[in-house]
Amino acid sequence: MFHKRNLRIDLTNWRGIMLSNFLANSPMTWLTHRLTTYATRKGLIPETQVATQRGVQTRDVISYLAGIKRFAQRNNQELYALQRDQMKGFDYLSPQGFYDAIQAYGLPAEIQALDFAAQHNTKVFIRTAFGMAGPIYVSGVTKQGGPMSPLKSTLTTTMGHRYLNDIATEEEGTLRIKTLNAKKNSPHTPEDLMMVQPTMVEAMDDSIIFATNLSTLRRFYLEMERFQFSYGWLTQWAKTILYALNAPEANIREKTLMPSITVEEGRIVEGTVTLHSVPMKVGEITFLKTEVDDTGSRFTELKHYIDNFNFPKFTSRTPVTLLRKIVSQCLISRTRALLSLQPVKHTEAGLLDKAIANKIHKLTGFPYQHNTDIMTLSLSCFGLDFPSITRINACIAIEGLARDLNHHIDTYRKLARITLNDWTCQLNRCVYPLDNIGLARNFTRHLGSIPAEWIIAQKLMSELKPRLELRRTNQNHILQERKTNAESLIKAFANLKQYPPSHREHEGKIWASDGSMYPANSGLLDRKTVVAAITGPATLVLKLYGRNSNILHGEVMGLIMGHILSSQIGVQQKLYSDHLNSVRFISDLDSNIDQSASLRSKNGRSYYRWLQDLRSRTNLQVLYTKAHTDGQSLEALLNDDADHYAADAQR
């Protein structure tokens, strides 16, 4: 048992840990992995249901809600949002919901049989204060923390989510987001033809339902109450809140009544509705413990956390190196996580840096006050090398803006494009606000009509020298053009024939690649030279710039060059590499194992994603060969040649 929250003497605030058999869990883990990939590929999970949605981050949901909030602000749109939470979601969720979803989506019946077998007559031993109790047998319980639990929950709620979307299609009170030009019936851009209908947003057992009037919202909510009760879920009314935007005075009150089902003896009493009193908050939306599009509340929370953070005490004065590590691993890690959900203003980020500098000043006892610019400067530039909240906040805001406008989920991308269109055409006099011309305009006058993160990003982009601009593209991802240009450049370099093809008997279809780093023992930020080489029907050596480059990047770049150059030759080809991890990664790609999860934390993930894309377009056979051997086989000789070119290029 471990304490989770609030009062320690209340047993409901404690949680128990259940240990289960690895062999019993392995099939369910495999099923979860395969079924999640399939559900994502087939679009079974609604786009605004973020749990188990591949590639969606929590900040995407907060940014999506910020776009809805600012749409209501720009259009003076009356909007109501009801946030609800399921009571003990996993404890009460019936497995029948998962089985109904399997039938509804046409999935194999064997999935149901496997899940039933996994939780039928499960033997449980309970540890008490007097030792282990005898076994009890549990059936039909969705275990919280089990490998299938999140997916079973989301697949169950998908049916209700889609049912509500179908109902909302015919309702006048449904929120429908369009550009201001579309509302005026004067479309002149592709974005003016877009429409987003955000009826509900879900994150596991938390959700928000939207409507433009209270009567429609009450109907939506009553339908969802009936649906979730069918599978054992009840609403936690103590956590249910109604948010109102641009509501008339007649509808504003401290609490309002929301309808719910009436339950007696475990069943719904038809025709009887119970009314619950729900608090109303005006002019704000809160989701996942984040004030949506409110930089002030986020700054206050971070300032309070930094001011109340206690450094460990030692008998002697704490070394600066230890202080830097504590700040990086404790203070900055939490700060970065909170900023990723809601960035703060540039000036507010500077105040947070000063707050950390003041605490460091008191601990070090220096006679002068720390200057934050010197404190966050790197060691090579004679600074103290502390992390900079200002730079972290700037990076999060700018990357977030680019991610919103080019999101792989269609609904998120459409809402961002609608917001950008209104910013361009209605608020900025048809001047695109994210290039050099638009950046020169007064960007603060639109605060309140555009998400705060976007305003922060635009201001920071204008202050960089040279200015950073975000170019519009017809493709879904900004990096697509850069990738295409890089591949064309590699092909052009190979055609220059500065190095001759290998003189080995490669038959025009066998390659070898290698990487080199000098000095070989260089650290992450040390000065170094990294080289990638490929030889065979053609030979090419490239130098990789940047202090963060290492030998891994050189090895993967060699494989990337091999895939690009081999695509110009029509016959089946082979490439030998002595980098075993990369060869295994390619083998996993060929076995159709989804690599999205592993790539999120893998070193060199940008290069690996490039390699993954190339792998889907080429038919090159990649094989492993040992390095630095005296063998006379073709693969060993080609590997020696690649190693020679890589090492020779260092000189």
Side-chain angles (χ1 to χ4, degrees):
M1 299 288 291
F2 66 93
H3 181 252
K4 187 177 181 182
R5 63 162 74 90
N6 301 334
L7 191 64
R8 302 183 71 89
I9 60 175
D10 187 354
L11 292 181
T12 60
N13 294 327
W14 290 76
R15 292 292 181 267
I17 299 177
M18 178 180 287
L19 304 180
S20 56
N21 189 291
F22 172 77
L23 293 179
N25 260 349
S26 297
M28 307 311 296
T29 304
W30 172 83
L31 175 60
T32 303
H33 174 75
R34 301 292 294 176
L35 190 55
T36 302
T37 304
Y38 180 84
T40 302
R41 188 169 67 250
K42 296 296 184 180
L44 301 184
I45 301 174
E47 293 181 334
T48 55
Q49 189 180 47
V50 298
T52 68
Q53 187 80 262
R54 286 293 177 90
V56 176
Q57 304 171 1
T58 308
R59 59 103 19 222
D60 298 336
V61 186
I62 302 301
S63 180
Y64 181 74
L65 294 175
I68 296 174
K69 180 179 178 181
R70 291 312 172 190
F71 167 81
Q73 187 75 22
R74 289 194 307 274
N75 294 267
N76 197 25
Q77 172 69 61
E78 183 180 357
L79 181 62
Y80 300 93
L82 190 67
Q83 180 187 10
R84 64 192 188 117
D85 180 83
Q86 274 84 18
M87 183 188 304
K88 305 275 186 190
F90 286 104
D91 298 339
Y92 295 158
L93 179 62
S94 169
Q96 188 60 42
F98 178 54
Y99 303 154
D100 289 350
I102 291 174
Q103 183 177 1
Y105 295 128
L107 298 172
E110 287 80 5
I111 297 177
Q112 177 178 341
L114 177 60
D115 181 75
F116 180 82
Q119 58 186 1
H120 181 67
N121 283 341
T122 302
K123 188 184 294 185
V124 178
F125 297 88
I126 300 177
R127 190 187 68 175
T128 69
F130 306 99
M132 299 299 295
I136 61 174
Y137 291 88
V138 179
S139 295
V141 175
T142 304
K143 295 182 292 185
Q144 185 169 359
M148 280 290 291
S149 297
L151 186 60
K152 290 167 69 174
S153 172
T154 52
L155 281 177
T156 300
T157 58
T158 56
M159 297 185 293
H161 195 133
R162 295 187 183 281
Y163 172 60
L164 185 61
N165 285 340
D166 292 342
I167 295 176
T169 303
E170 305 297 331
E171 285 285 335
E172 291 185 1
T174 300
L175 175 62
R176 296 177 178 90
I177 296 180
K178 300 179 181 179
T179 64
L180 291 170
N181 285 330
K183 286 180 172 292
K184 297 176 181 178
N185 292 321
S186 60
H188 60 274
T189 64
E191 288 79 9
D192 294 327
L193 304 177
M194 295 179 179
M195 193 272 287
V196 176
Q197 179 182 304
T199 308
M200 184 164 66
V201 174
E202 290 186 275
M204 201 56 69
D205 55 354
D206 290 324
S207 61
I208 289 185
I209 301 176
F210 295 97
T212 58
N213 58 63
L214 284 174
S215 60
T216 301
L217 183 64
R218 289 188 175 108
R219 186 198 169 186
F220 287 170
Y221 195 71
L222 189 58
E223 293 293 344
M224 293 309 298
E225 282 284 283
R226 290 168 175 160
F227 169 81
Q228 70 175 14
F229 181 77
S230 302
Y231 299 115
W233 268 349
L234 297 173
T235 297
Q236 179 68 275
W237 287 100
K239 297 180 180 179
T240 301
I241 302 174
L242 176 65
Y243 302 105
L245 302 175
N246 302 312
E249 290 292 335
N251 290 346
I252 297 178
R253 50 182 61 91
E254 289 187 4
K255 292 188 176 182
T256 188
L257 297 177
M258 296 301 296
S260 178
I261 56 176
T262 301
V263 180
E264 291 182 3
E265 299 180 355
R267 63 182 181 87
I268 297 178
V269 180
E270 292 294 338
T272 306
V273 175
T274 301
L275 298 177
H276 294 268
S277 181
V278 174
M280 176 186 288
K281 294 186 178 181
V282 180
E284 64 177 271
I285 296 178
T286 302
F287 195 58
L288 301 178
K289 299 182 180 179
T290 301
E291 296 283 345
V292 175
D293 206 43
D294 188 347
T295 60
S297 63
R298 179 61 78 206
F299 168 73
T300 302
E301 180 182 2
L302 290 172
K303 184 69 164 57
H304 181 267
Y305 172 68
I306 292 173
D307 290 342
N308 291 277
F309 182 82
N310 293 319
F311 285 86
K313 295 182 180 180
F314 300 95
T315 55
S316 59
R317 208 174 287 280
T318 309
V320 174
T321 53
L322 181 57
L323 289 174
R324 185 168 59 234
K325 184 175 288 293
I326 293 172
V327 168
S328 177
Q329 295 184 354
C330 299
L331 269 175
I332 298 298
S333 59
R334 177 176 174 82
T335 301
R336 180 185 283 108
L338 293 175
L339 287 176
S340 66
L341 297 178
Q342 177 59 65
V344 298
K345 297 178 181 177
H346 190 61
T347 54
E348 293 172 339
L351 293 176
L352 295 177
D353 274 332
K354 287 184 179 180
I356 295 178
N358 290 336
K359 297 185 78 73
I360 300 299
H361 172 67
K362 293 178 182 179
L363 291 169
T364 55
F366 288 168
Y368 56 85
Q369 183 69 31
H370 284 83
N371 183 292
T372 55
D373 292 336
I374 296 177
M375 192 182 78
T376 59
L377 204 61
S378 65
L379 290 174
S380 60
C381 297
F382 307 105
L384 297 180
D385 206 21
F386 278 84
S388 169
I389 295 179
T390 301
R391 291 197 290 270
I392 292 173
N393 181 71
C395 181
I396 288 174
I398 295 174
E399 287 187 350
L401 172 59
R403 179 178 174 85
D404 290 340
L405 294 174
N406 299 275
H407 206 281
H408 65 283
I409 299 294
D410 189 58
T411 299
Y412 297 156
R413 187 175 65 254
K414 279 185 177 180
L415 181 58
R417 295 293 178 95
I418 290 173
T419 304
L420 179 61
N421 182 272
D422 284 349
W423 191 4
T424 303
C425 296
Q426 301 296 325
L427 304 177
N428 215 42
R429 301 175 184 176
C430 288
V431 176
Y432 181 66
L434 301 178
D435 58 13
N436 283 331
I437 298 176
L439 290 172
R441 287 183 173 270
N442 183 8
F443 35 73
T444 58
R445 68 167 181 260
H446 307 314
L447 191 61
S449 299
I450 302 298
E453 181 179 2
W454 288 26
I455 299 294
I456 295 167
Q458 192 211 36
K459 182 177 180 181
L460 293 169
M461 289 162 61
S462 68
E463 293 176 351
L464 292 173
K465 296 182 180 179
R467 286 176 176 168
L468 177 64
E469 62 180 67
L470 189 62
R471 292 182 288 110
R472 283 179 289 191
T473 174
N474 293 327
Q475 299 164 340
N476 291 340
H477 300 283
I478 291 177
L479 297 180
Q480 184 70 34
E481 183 179 348
R482 293 176 57 191
K483 181 178 63 177
T484 303
N485 291 341
E487 292 177 7
S488 300
L489 199 62
I490 288 174
K491 292 177 182 178
F493 283 154
N495 291 332
L496 293 177
K497 300 188 184 304
Q498 182 177 359
Y499 294 102
S502 173
H503 63 278
R504 312 294 181 183
E505 296 180 358
H506 51 72
E507 300 177 358
K509 59 181 181 181
I510 302 178
W511 305 76
S513 66
D514 200 8
S516 172
M517 181 176 73
Y518 181 82
N521 58 349
S522 302
L524 181 62
L525 297 178
D526 295 338
R527 295 187 180 277
K528 65 182 86 67
T529 305
V530 179
V531 165
I534 180 80
T535 189
T539 301
L540 179 61
V541 184
L542 295 181
K543 181 183 292 185
L544 307 182
Y545 285 95
R547 278 197 174 184
N548 61 337
S549 298
N550 56 43
I551 185 61
L552 170 65
H553 298 94
E555 295 283 2
V556 181
M557 178 53 76
L559 291 169
I560 289 172
M561 292 192 297
H563 281 76
I564 293 173
L565 298 180
S566 65
S567 64
Q568 302 179 103
I569 306 173
V571 298
Q572 175 67 42
Q573 299 168 75
K574 295 180 181 179
L575 188 150
Y576 290 98
S577 172
D578 57 12
H579 197 247
L580 183 57
N581 287 341
S582 295
V583 175
R584 286 175 174 170
F585 171 76
I586 293 174
S587 177
D588 290 340
L589 291 177
D590 295 342
S591 63
N592 292 325
I593 298 176
D594 185 48
Q595 299 297 313
S596 301
S598 64
L599 279 175
R600 294 191 191 110
S601 57
K602 188 185 288 292
N603 292 331
R605 50 189 170 271
S606 296
Y607 281 8
Y608 275 121
R609 288 193 178 102
W610 188 4
L611 183 60
Q612 181 182 22
D613 178 69
L614 286 167
R615 195 70 191 162
S616 65
R617 296 184 273 127
T618 56
N619 191 26
L620 179 66
Q621 184 181 6
V622 179
L623 302 170
Y624 172 72
T625 182
K626 291 184 177 180
H628 308 295
T629 65
D630 296 331
Q632 296 301 309
S633 62
L634 178 59
E635 56 266 30
L637 295 174
L638 280 173
N639 182 262
D640 288 342
D641 290 346
D643 179 72
H644 163 74
Y645 281 116
D648 190 60
Q650 298 283 10
R651 296 187 289 272

